[in-house]
Amino acid sequence: MNARLDLLNSVERGVTEGEVLRLALQHAVAELDGLGGTVHLRGPMSALRLVSVAGLPPGLVRPWEILDQEDTAAPAHAVRQGTGVWTLHGPSGVAPPTSTDGWPGTGLAAVPVFGRERIVGALTVVAGASGEPTRKQWDFLTAVATWAKERMIQAPPPTRPARGEPSGTFLRQALRAVQVGTWEWNIRTGELSWDAAAMAVYGAEPADFTPQVESWMKVVHPDDLPWTLAAVERAIRNRGVFQAEYRVRRPDGSYGWTQARARVVLDDMGEPYRMIGTAWDSNESRSARDSLSHALRHMSDGFLSADDDWRITFVNLEAEGMLGSSDEELFGRVLWTLPAVQQVADMEARCRQAAATATPTGFDVQMPETGRCYHLRLVPVPDGVTLYFTDVTETRRHESERAAAETAATERASRITELTAALAKATTSRDVVDAVAQRVLPPFRATGLLVQAIEGDRVHNVGAVGYPRAFLERVDGRSRVATDPVWDAISTQGPLFVSSAREFAARYPGLAHTPHDIDKQAWAFLPLTASGHTFGICVIAFDRPRRLADEERTLLTAISALVAQALERARLYDAEHTRSQELQRALLPQRLPDLPACTTAARYLPAGQGMDVGGDWYDVIPLPAGRVALVVGDVVGHGLSEAVTMGRLRTAVHTLAGFELPPDEIMSHLNDIVSGLGKNSYATCLYALYDSTTGTCSLTRAGHPPPAVLHPDGTVHFPRPTPDPPLGSAEPPFETVELTMPPGSLLVLYTNGLVEAPEREIDQGMTELANLLRTSDSEDLDRLCETLIAGLLPAGQHTSDDAALLVARVHALSSDRMASWPLPEDPRAAGLARRHVREQLSTWGLDDMAMTTELLASELVGNVVRHGRGPLHLRLLRGAELVCEVSDGSLTMPRIRHASETDEGGRGLQLVAALSQQWGTRYTATGKCIWTAQPMHGSDIPDPLLSES
């Protein structure tokens, strides 16, 4: 062991670092009777670079060319630990990190190699059959590492090869290397970037380049790596300039000399964080360098260099022509003082910014005098900047043309994407036509669209854009003919393209006038096929001759498939929607009754296009004794089921109103009906009962907006009783509000769709309704309805909810058409009742009705005296019919029944039913009322019956 150390110590001083490491590795392998070994040196960041190998094939150690210091391999472990490391490999040990196949021996022995101030690498021996080194062998390895440290410190830098005179080949090589590569290294992350010139200098392919500093370490000659790394560390430590000349491996495996120069960039805290510099091939001799200057002078791109004060130090011929001055005139001048530079906006600011951040940058500049476009590339270097000017006028023109074509294609693709989305949202056939018109015609510069559907042997218009009305009327319902482009495309189930009016006339002589009539010059006839069935045609027309490219034809054919799917779905919806609307119209009142108690007008507006039918409804229900029920309601939701529910509720209201129940009881029964439809069924309702004999109106509402009341003096107010929840969720009893309605007042009932919208709160809508009522002419109720709808739902405004509106002008029955008397609670009452009836009918000129009316009054009064209790009243009403009412304080309702032959009573109500047109009973605030109605003689029916005075 001492003999080997003595042999190493006898080596003369001044040998290169590479030779020192090879000698140390050879003796270490021999002393341990090993099979081979490696030497790794530390590089920037956490990389270990393989610099020397002994006894091991290249394929085996290739994965170990670069090791991470955090790796589990023995060299990395030794560097981290700072002492010798033994690791087994094979079935029972820890294998190398990248491969376990083919490694000989029993394990790896590694010791750290120290430099001046820190560990700089590791020496590793592959042990043979003897296994782990003995204590003496470990001491030898440590001694060898110490010897290598001392000799590496004493090693001189590498000498350059002798420089000869440049040959022709040498000059050509220099010309190929005129560009100086620039590089940038992030000291903290290890990220390394090379420009294209640097890639060429270091022999790297962009596709294979890994942007890490390890990529640079791999190509530096192992003998040059130690001192080059030392120069890097020294520049970082001193925050100065890095300058070195070292050998770099070429793609063919040979090595060539490369020179690099860089400066360290500090962060805001004054700490190094980047290194930016240049590199160039330095194999040429000094005379070849002169040739390099000559090449730069005559290169096709403009090139100039400037010092830190932006004074020009070199300029080539191309740059002279671009700047408009000679080399002698430009040398030493500040770049920004040149007239050509001053004409380029922001050039100085952008260049200064790039230099201040030590960041290479590039941008285009337009020279105003020549109109030429140049790409300026500025690269900061340690002693100034270099600027390259490349004429890119033609390149940018071609790029602009290509960009315009790509933009058009992108816009077209975007339109198709929008079309797909719009067709997915389209509900009706009109929606489909609009989507095609908006998103297909513009990108293809088309001016006409016609969509037709096949019905039997005819085609009917679904929608059109850009065609005269007369032409559309002519082609609507066109039957199948032998020579017709529409039927040709439908028959063949393939697209038909006609590029000009001349081609159209040649194909279809009988239709040669068509292009002139519709001002169209080219067409695309696209059959609409879905589920294997062709059901229509989409015709796209152009106002000038147009031969569509194959790509455009393929695209239009694909679009027609999308349109066909959407249109088929929309037609199914249209049919269903039509049936729903027909059902809804059938369920609403076909006409409003003509009543003495009030004059009415109503409107129903379905929701906007694309919305299902709703459940809004209104009704006017005539009741006996000058009374009328005004109803408006809204079933929550849209669809066929909601329309059916609306019909059921309207029927129920009619039935309940016929029983003459109070409004709150009617609302309770409706609540039970809606609750029975399911937990998700809800409706709102407003029920108003107006009595023309008293001028009072009773209101009950369930979740519904309050009505608007317009008095004859022009004032408007909204009665606001405490609102009850909607039907289906309410808990009876419901609140009833009594209003006094002066004759001629308007009662306006409506649903929320009239006053509420996504952009308008319901309170705002009610305020607008009140303003319209105050300012509009209310004489004609139909015209008033139109005014209210136009003001609250302007034409063209999309509505998401349907709306119902009912306007009623109330009238009062004049006092001279009413008569009432109190009656005693004894048998005399019947006689008094007959006398009052006889006298009053005589006064009214209705003597011919006296006998029947006396009999009815006598029977009703006698029944009350016998079965009821006071107070007892008799009332006659002369309107469209003669009404006789008898009221008392009892709550017991009479009922008609069949009397047997032996019964002495039970036939009174049968007599009443036989003598009157109608009869009935109702509860009052103090008891009940029994009434009969007889038709008036035609000559005696007053017209009008009512007085507004």
Side-chain angles (χ1 to χ4, degrees), residues 24-240:
L25 180 60
Q26 290 172 359
H27 282 278
V29 171
E31 180 64 27
L32 269 66
D33 196 18
L35 303 178
T38 63
V39 176
H40 286 81
L41 291 183
R42 289 178 68 175
M45 308 302 294
S46 60
L48 293 175
R49 167 76 157 88
L50 180 66
V51 297
S52 187
V53 180
L56 298 177
L60 187 65
V61 298
R62 187 171 294 114
W64 276 28
E65 284 189 354
I66 298 292
L67 292 178
D68 192 286
Q69 292 182 22
E70 302 301 321
D71 207 316
T72 58
H77 197 180
V79 170
R80 291 197 310 272
Q81 189 170 310
T83 60
V85 173
W86 166 256
T87 62
L88 297 172
H89 64 75
S92 61
V94 178
T98 55
S99 174
T100 59
D101 298 332
W103 277 79
T106 57
L108 301 175
V111 292
V113 177
F114 289 83
R116 292 178 183 271
E117 300 176 354
R118 62 168 190 164
I119 298 174
V120 297
L123 184 150
T124 306
V125 177
V126 181
S130 59
E132 183 178 0
T134 64
R135 170 49 53 190
K136 290 184 178 180
Q137 289 173 326
W138 278 115
D139 292 342
F140 175 78
L141 290 176
T142 302
V144 168
T146 302
W147 175 84
K149 167 190 172 181
E150 295 173 352
R151 291 305 176 94
M152 286 173 66
I153 294 174
Q154 299 169 0
T159 57
R160 284 297 313 271
R163 301 182 184 270
E165 288 300 317
S167 63
T169 301
F170 217 65
L171 290 176
R172 285 193 295 272
Q173 292 174 348
L175 288 173
R176 287 196 299 267
V178 295
Q179 286 191 336
V180 177
T182 61
W183 54 270
E184 183 178 352
W185 171 43
N186 189 312
I187 298 172
R188 296 173 182 171
T189 66
E191 182 179 359
L192 177 68
S193 62
W194 287 340
D195 66 2
M199 291 279 186
V201 169
Y202 288 103
E205 292 293 334
D208 301 328
F209 175 65
T210 301
Q212 293 292 324
V213 72
E214 288 82 357
S215 299
W216 170 76
M217 293 174 61
K218 285 183 179 180
V219 300
V220 177
H221 195 289
D223 289 349
D224 299 343
L225 189 62
W227 66 268
T228 303
L229 293 177
V232 171
E233 293 182 0
R234 185 165 54 254
I236 295 175
R237 185 171 57 252
N238 298 334
R239 294 166 172 74

Side-chain angles (χ1 to χ4, degrees), residues 167-319:
S167 63
T169 301
F170 217 65
L171 290 176
R172 285 193 295 272
Q173 292 174 348
L175 288 173
R176 287 196 299 267
V178 295
Q179 286 191 336
V180 177
T182 61
W183 54 270
E184 183 178 352
W185 171 43
N186 189 312
I187 298 172
R188 296 173 182 171
T189 66
E191 182 179 359
L192 177 68
S193 62
W194 287 340
D195 66 2
M199 291 279 186
V201 169
Y202 288 103
E205 292 293 334
D208 301 328
F209 175 65
T210 301
Q212 293 292 324
V213 72
E214 288 82 357
S215 299
W216 170 76
M217 293 174 61
K218 285 183 179 180
V219 300
V220 177
H221 195 289
D223 289 349
D224 299 343
L225 189 62
W227 66 268
T228 303
L229 293 177
V232 171
E233 293 182 0
R234 185 165 54 254
I236 295 175
R237 185 171 57 252
N238 298 334
R239 294 166 172 74
V241 175
F242 162 73
Q243 187 168 357
E245 193 170 13
Y246 47 83
R247 286 165 291 179
V248 172
R249 186 175 64 233
R250 305 302 187 199
D252 61 0
S254 64
Y255 283 88
W257 286 90
T258 297
Q259 191 165 348
R261 179 178 173 84
R263 62 179 177 182
V264 176
V265 180
L266 307 180
D267 61 14
D268 295 340
M269 305 298 294
E271 296 297 324
Y273 81 102
R274 278 197 305 158
M275 184 178 285
I276 183 168
T278 56
W280 61 92
D281 190 330
S282 58
N283 267 327
E284 77 288 350
S285 65
R286 187 168 300 277
S287 59
R289 295 187 183 185
D290 294 338
S291 299
L292 172 61
S293 176
H294 181 269
L296 284 172
R297 177 77 175 155
H298 293 86
M299 65 187 289
S300 60
D301 288 347
F303 175 83
L304 67 82
S305 61
D307 59 18
D308 290 332
D309 295 326
W310 298 96
R311 296 185 180 277
I312 297 175
T313 57
F314 179 85
V315 62
N316 71 353
L317 293 175
E318 181 67 20

Side-chain angles (χ1 to χ4, degrees), residues 725-877:
L727 300 175
S729 62
E731 293 290 339
F734 290 85
E735 182 182 359
T736 300
V737 174
E738 296 285 343
L739 301 178
T740 299
M741 302 283 290
S745 298
L746 291 186
L747 188 64
V748 181
L749 289 72
Y750 53 90
T751 59
N752 64 327
L754 184 70
V755 294
E756 187 177 23
E759 67 280 356
R760 180 177 62 196
E761 296 293 335
I762 189 169
D763 289 341
Q764 180 186 351
M766 292 169 61
T767 301
E768 294 178 11
L769 172 61
N771 292 334
L772 288 171
L773 288 173
R774 276 191 293 265
T775 58
S776 302
D777 181 10
S778 60
E779 187 66 26
D780 186 332
L781 295 187
D782 284 307
R783 184 178 301 171
L784 177 61
C785 287
E786 298 298 334
T787 300
L788 296 180
I789 290 172
L792 295 170
L793 300 175
Q797 176 177 307
H798 178 79
T799 56
S800 59
D801 197 7
D802 52 345
L805 171 65
L806 176 60
V807 180
R809 173 177 285 113
V810 299
H811 309 291
L813 191 63
S814 60
S815 59
D816 61 347
R817 296 184 179 275
M818 297 185 293
S820 62
W821 306 269
L823 297 175
E825 300 176 35
D826 55 47
R828 294 177 302 154
L832 287 174
R834 287 193 296 272
R835 189 182 69 188
H836 292 321
V837 167
R838 184 168 55 252
E839 292 175 352
Q840 186 62 49
L841 293 184
S842 177
T843 302
W844 285 343
L846 301 175
D847 296 294
D848 55 341
M849 301 182 68
M851 182 178 295
T852 303
T853 308
E854 286 182 39
L855 184 56
L856 290 171
S858 178
E859 180 61 34
L860 294 178
V861 171
N863 186 70
V864 169
V865 170
R866 185 178 302 113
H867 301 290
R869 66 169 182 266
L872 184 63
H873 286 85
L874 170 67
R875 187 169 72 157
L876 293 178
L877 303 176

